[in-house]
Every structure is written in C-alpha cells, then in structure tokens.
Amino acid sequence: RKEVEQDPGPFNVPEGATVAFNCTYSNSASQSFFWYRQDCRKEPKLLMSVYSSGNEDGRFTAQLNRASQYISLLIRDSKLSDSATYLCVVKSGQNFVFGPGTRLSVLP
Amino acid sequence: DAGVTQSPTHLIKTRGQQVTLRCSPISGHKSVSWYQQVLGQGPQFIFQYYEKEERGRGNFPDRFSARQFPNYSSELNVNALLLGDSALYLCASSLVPGPQGDVGYTFGSGTRLTVV
C-alpha cells in the first residue's frame, strides 16, 4: 500500500461547481499535512496547510481526520484557473511524502 | 530575494551518459532536498543534505548521488542514465532539515531531464 493515496481522477467539472478531493495516509506518526497545487510542467506550489480543526482560505476548505488518517480539500465555485493537479502531501520524519495527485479540469 | 534556483531548466541525454543537476537554495537556507517526479506521479524523495552532510536518502539506486557545497548549493549526479530516469527533478531548500511548520517547502522550478 502506498503511503499517501488520492482519488485517481481526472475530475472534469463545470465552472461554478463544488469539487472535493480525498486523500488517505498510512503512517499514523505523520506530523503535518498540506495540499499543493501543480500546474502543467511547473513545480508544485503550496496551496494550504491542513490543521486538525479544519481550515478555510477563501473558496478552499481543508479537513483532517487523524483517527481515520484522512485529508480532504473542498473547492467551491470552481474557476477556470483552478485547473491543475492537486497533490496531497504528508510530512513524515524530515521529509515530504507526496500522493500521486488528482487532476482537475474546470470547463467553461 | 531569489527563490530556489535550478539549472539547467531542460536537458536531453542519451542512455548510459552521466548528468549533473544544480540547485541554489534560498539565501540563508542550509538544507537542500531533491525529488524526482516522473510524469503522472507525485514527487519522490531522493536526498536531503544539511550543512554539507547527507541527512536522508530515498529508495533510489547508487547511480544517484549528491553533494552540498560550503555555500549550501547542491548538485545531484546520475550515472549510467536509463530511459526511466526521464523526469522532472525538483530541489527544495529550508533553514533546517525538513519542510518547516505551516510553510512546507518552496520548490525550485525544476530540471526536466529527458533520456533518449
């Protein structure tokens, strides 16, 4: 089993839709959690950290369930510019472990 | 302030050749980590260096090696290139080993290596 798993995707949604991404991790000792966004042929960029109490940044909401070892990202009112691959990232020890990513295409 | 800079941006090599990739960390950062991202997959950890010493190594063959210089810049070397080494190679820097707090890692724009 991979250490970090994500919905396989791709997700094709119309503008304005709400979309949710799911992620699970296997190492219960994992310390920190993040969502990164990666545009085609570019480097990953931090979208948001994920806190135990859940957190929101504009149209983006992240949730963490440590008991279930589950992380989610909700995007409301999708924009064309949200089209990208979303990477679930877990800090284990002194390194990042990345999920395979879920590609989102927001369609006009 | 310059972010993490990597060179070259693109590279084409032939199977069996050797390649050296370079990374300059954010000013003041003493740790550099290298990741390999094959198309369609998430980045995979290769190496972490701190104060010129190797602090971590991922599950990569001995053909992969790295070093860090006194100015904290780093080189990743890959010998005897295989077609499967074709990937985006990413470098991240941090003040101390590992992604930091809420900030995580800032990555360089990467070196895209194509092995033919």
Side-chain angles (χ1 to χ4, degrees), chain B residues 78-101:
Chain B
V78 187
N79 293 323
L81 285 166
L82 304 173
L83 296 179
D85 295 331
S86 296
L88 178 67
Y89 287 85
L90 295 160
C91 175
S93 75
S94 54
L95 284 165
V96 294
Q100 303 301 295

Short mmCIF file of all heavy atoms in Angstrom, two decimals, chain B residues 78-101:
data_model
loop_
_atom_site.label_atom_id
_atom_site.label_comp_id
_atom_site.label_asym_id
_atom_site.label_seq_id
_atom_site.Cartn_x
_atom_site.Cartn_y
_atom_site.Cartn_z
N VAL B 78 23.59 11.75 -11.65
CA VAL B 78 23.01 10.46 -12.02
C VAL B 78 23.93 9.84 -13.06
O VAL B 78 24.18 10.45 -14.11
CB VAL B 78 21.58 10.59 -12.56
CG1 VAL B 78 20.98 9.20 -12.77
CG2 VAL B 78 20.72 11.42 -11.65
N ASN B 79 24.43 8.65 -12.77
CA ASN B 79 25.30 7.93 -13.70
C ASN B 79 24.52 6.88 -14.48
O ASN B 79 23.42 6.47 -14.06
CB ASN B 79 26.42 7.21 -12.92
CG ASN B 79 27.36 8.19 -12.27
OD1 ASN B 79 27.68 9.24 -12.83
ND2 ASN B 79 27.80 7.88 -11.07
N ALA B 80 25.12 6.46 -15.59
CA ALA B 80 24.55 5.35 -16.38
C ALA B 80 23.05 5.54 -16.58
O ALA B 80 22.24 4.68 -16.21
CB ALA B 80 24.85 4.02 -15.68
N LEU B 81 22.68 6.65 -17.17
CA LEU B 81 21.27 7.02 -17.32
C LEU B 81 20.46 5.94 -18.02
O LEU B 81 20.91 5.31 -19.00
CB LEU B 81 21.16 8.32 -18.10
CG LEU B 81 21.53 9.59 -17.31
CD1 LEU B 81 21.72 10.76 -18.26
CD2 LEU B 81 20.47 9.89 -16.25
N LEU B 82 19.24 5.75 -17.49
CA LEU B 82 18.26 4.85 -18.09
C LEU B 82 17.09 5.67 -18.61
O LEU B 82 16.85 6.80 -18.15
CB LEU B 82 17.75 3.85 -17.04
CG LEU B 82 18.82 2.99 -16.34
CD1 LEU B 82 18.17 2.17 -15.23
CD2 LEU B 82 19.51 2.09 -17.34
N LEU B 83 16.32 5.08 -19.52
CA LEU B 83 15.14 5.79 -20.03
C LEU B 83 14.22 6.19 -18.89
O LEU B 83 13.61 7.26 -18.91
CB LEU B 83 14.39 4.91 -21.03
CG LEU B 83 15.12 4.55 -22.32
CD1 LEU B 83 14.24 3.66 -23.20
CD2 LEU B 83 15.54 5.80 -23.09
N GLY B 84 14.13 5.33 -17.87
CA GLY B 84 13.25 5.58 -16.74
C GLY B 84 13.68 6.72 -15.84
O GLY B 84 12.93 7.11 -14.93
N ASP B 85 14.87 7.26 -16.07
CA ASP B 85 15.32 8.41 -15.30
C ASP B 85 14.74 9.72 -15.84
O ASP B 85 14.92 10.77 -15.23
CB ASP B 85 16.85 8.50 -15.31
CG ASP B 85 17.51 7.32 -14.61
OD1 ASP B 85 16.91 6.77 -13.67
OD2 ASP B 85 18.64 6.95 -15.01
N SER B 86 14.07 9.64 -16.97
CA SER B 86 13.42 10.82 -17.54
C SER B 86 12.36 11.32 -16.56
O SER B 86 11.46 10.57 -16.18
CB SER B 86 12.76 10.48 -18.88
OG SER B 86 13.72 10.11 -19.82
N ALA B 87 12.49 12.55 -16.14
CA ALA B 87 11.62 13.07 -15.08
C ALA B 87 11.90 14.55 -14.88
O ALA B 87 12.86 15.10 -15.43
CB ALA B 87 11.86 12.32 -13.77
N LEU B 88 11.06 15.15 -14.05
CA LEU B 88 11.32 16.50 -13.54
C LEU B 88 12.03 16.34 -12.20
O LEU B 88 11.52 15.67 -11.31
CB LEU B 88 10.00 17.25 -13.36
CG LEU B 88 10.09 18.68 -12.80
CD1 LEU B 88 10.79 19.60 -13.79
CD2 LEU B 88 8.69 19.20 -12.46
N TYR B 89 13.20 16.94 -12.07
CA TYR B 89 13.97 16.86 -10.83
C TYR B 89 13.81 18.18 -10.09
O TYR B 89 14.15 19.25 -10.60
CB TYR B 89 15.43 16.54 -11.13
CG TYR B 89 15.59 15.11 -11.57
CD1 TYR B 89 15.40 14.75 -12.90
CD2 TYR B 89 15.88 14.11 -10.65
CE1 TYR B 89 15.50 13.43 -13.31
CE2 TYR B 89 15.98 12.78 -11.05
CZ TYR B 89 15.78 12.46 -12.37
OH TYR B 89 15.87 11.14 -12.77
N LEU B 90 13.29 18.08 -8.89
CA LEU B 90 12.94 19.25 -8.09
C LEU B 90 13.87 19.38 -6.90
O LEU B 90 14.25 18.39 -6.28
CB LEU B 90 11.50 19.13 -7.59
CG LEU B 90 10.41 19.14 -8.66
CD1 LEU B 90 9.12 18.55 -8.11
CD2 LEU B 90 10.18 20.56 -9.15
N CYS B 91 14.20 20.61 -6.59
CA CYS B 91 15.02 20.92 -5.43
C CYS B 91 14.21 21.81 -4.50
O CYS B 91 13.47 22.68 -4.95
CB CYS B 91 16.28 21.64 -5.90
SG CYS B 91 17.35 22.23 -4.57
N ALA B 92 14.33 21.57 -3.20
CA ALA B 92 13.67 22.40 -2.20
C ALA B 92 14.70 22.77 -1.14
O ALA B 92 15.58 21.96 -0.83
CB ALA B 92 12.50 21.67 -1.56
N SER B 93 14.60 23.98 -0.61
CA SER B 93 15.54 24.36 0.45
C SER B 93 14.77 24.73 1.71
O SER B 93 13.59 25.09 1.66
CB SER B 93 16.43 25.51 -0.01
OG SER B 93 15.74 26.75 -0.04
N SER B 94 15.46 24.64 2.83
CA SER B 94 14.87 25.01 4.11
C SER B 94 15.99 25.42 5.07
O SER B 94 17.15 25.09 4.86
CB SER B 94 14.03 23.87 4.68
OG SER B 94 14.78 22.67 4.76
N LEU B 95 15.61 26.14 6.11
CA LEU B 95 16.61 26.61 7.08
C LEU B 95 17.28 25.42 7.77
O LEU B 95 18.50 25.39 7.93
CB LEU B 95 15.94 27.49 8.13
CG LEU B 95 15.58 28.90 7.69
CD1 LEU B 95 14.61 29.53 8.69
CD2 LEU B 95 16.83 29.75 7.56
N VAL B 96 16.48 24.48 8.19
CA VAL B 96 16.98 23.28 8.84
C VAL B 96 16.36 22.10 8.09
O VAL B 96 15.48 22.30 7.26
CB VAL B 96 16.59 23.24 10.33
CG1 VAL B 96 17.31 24.36 11.08
CG2 VAL B 96 15.08 23.35 10.51
N PRO B 97 16.81 20.88 8.36
CA PRO B 97 16.29 19.75 7.57
C PRO B 97 14.77 19.61 7.66
O PRO B 97 14.20 19.69 8.73
CB PRO B 97 16.98 18.54 8.20
CG PRO B 97 18.23 19.09 8.79
CD PRO B 97 17.90 20.47 9.26
N GLY B 98 14.16 19.40 6.53
CA GLY B 98 12.75 19.10 6.50
C GLY B 98 11.89 20.31 6.22
O GLY B 98 12.29 21.45 6.48
N PRO B 99 10.69 20.07 5.72
CA PRO B 99 9.73 21.16 5.48
C PRO B 99 9.34 21.80 6.80
O PRO B 99 9.23 21.14 7.83
CB PRO B 99 8.55 20.45 4.81
CG PRO B 99 8.71 19.01 5.13
CD PRO B 99 10.16 18.75 5.35
N GLN B 100 9.15 23.10 6.78
CA GLN B 100 9.01 23.87 8.01
C GLN B 100 7.56 24.27 8.29
O GLN B 100 6.91 24.88 7.45
CB GLN B 100 9.87 25.14 7.91
CG GLN B 100 11.33 24.85 7.66
CD GLN B 100 11.94 24.00 8.74
OE1 GLN B 100 12.05 24.41 9.88
NE2 GLN B 100 12.33 22.77 8.37
N GLY B 101 7.10 23.92 9.46
CA GLY B 101 5.84 24.40 10.01
C GLY B 101 4.72 24.46 9.00
O GLY B 101 4.43 23.50 8.29
#
